[in-house]
Amino acid sequence: MKSRAFVPEKLDLAAFAHDGASLEGEWPAAALERLADAAAPEAPATGWPPLGWSLHGEVRRPKAAAAQTWLHLTASAQVALTCQRCLKPVPEAIAIDRWIRFVDTEAEAAALDVDSDDDVLALPRHLDARELIEDELLLALPLVPRHEHCPEPLAVADEEGEPVPEERPNPFAALAALKRKDG
């Protein structure tokens, strides 16, 4: 039997799972345009290390049920996003490890996805695994990236853009002094 060659950008998922095949590799982070768009301006994706990924397909045959097509997807990337406190680049390590079940129709996928903890998608004729991996990495990005401890002290500005001194008088200190005077 001749071994099939699978290409991640045009993956015949049914055959991939039927063969129990696996693929793995690395892509430059800049090749994933939507992920690269999330980069901090001072740390573009061209300077990020390549992201590693792997795919493994399998067909599961549960008792008294039809065969199921599954894809195991793993990927890891090191990205630099903009810290939402200091607006400087913050490195983030992202790793995904997902099992995705594929079914015949969108309607079946929607019905099963509601009742299942598993990710369920409709089986396409050809799957662009690069796009799927990019989608999963984008979903894994932190909503509010920030340093645990920002490298520079934060500067606070008033309405005119002038720096505000860090020590501001407590507006209730005068009231506390009056209360002490009366008591």
Side-chain angles (χ1 to χ4, degrees), residues 9-177:
E9 289 81 4
K10 194 173 181 180
L11 188 61
D12 181 350
L13 193 54
F16 187 74
H18 180 269
D19 289 358
S22 294
L23 287 173
E24 62 182 33
E26 287 186 342
W27 290 318
L32 304 177
E33 293 177 11
R34 293 177 295 144
L35 184 64
D37 286 344
E42 304 88 353
T46 53
W48 297 353
L51 63 96
W53 58 271
S54 70
L55 303 171
H56 175 72
E58 72 178 49
V59 175
R60 296 182 186 170
R61 297 183 188 342
K63 292 182 181 179
Q68 301 173 349
T69 302
W70 287 84
L71 178 69
H72 185 218
L73 177 148
T74 60
S76 61
Q78 182 72 30
V79 300
L81 307 172
T82 302
C83 174
Q84 297 301 299
R85 279 190 277 205
C86 68
L87 303 178
K88 301 290 182 198
V90 57
E92 293 282 349
I94 301 170
I96 54 173
D97 187 350
R98 299 246 193 298
W99 279 97
I100 303 171
R101 180 179 171 195
F102 287 88
V103 294
D104 293 329
T105 65
E106 289 285 342
E108 187 180 357
L112 287 172
D113 200 31
V114 169
D115 297 331
S116 175
D117 289 337
D118 299 316
D119 293 326
V120 182
L121 297 174
L123 183 65
R125 173 76 177 111
H126 294 288
L127 174 73
D128 185 346
R130 183 186 297 238
E131 190 174 295
L132 179 62
I133 290 168
E134 184 175 22
D135 288 345
E136 293 294 331
L137 288 170
L138 287 168
L139 289 171
L141 289 176
L143 292 176
V144 182
R146 60 181 179 211
H147 294 101
E148 192 167 315
H149 301 286
C150 289
E152 296 178 17
L154 302 179
V156 180
D158 64 10
E159 292 172 9
E160 291 84 35
E162 298 295 319
V164 175
E166 287 198 27
E167 290 298 319
R168 295 181 10 191
N170 183 343
F172 298 103
L175 290 175

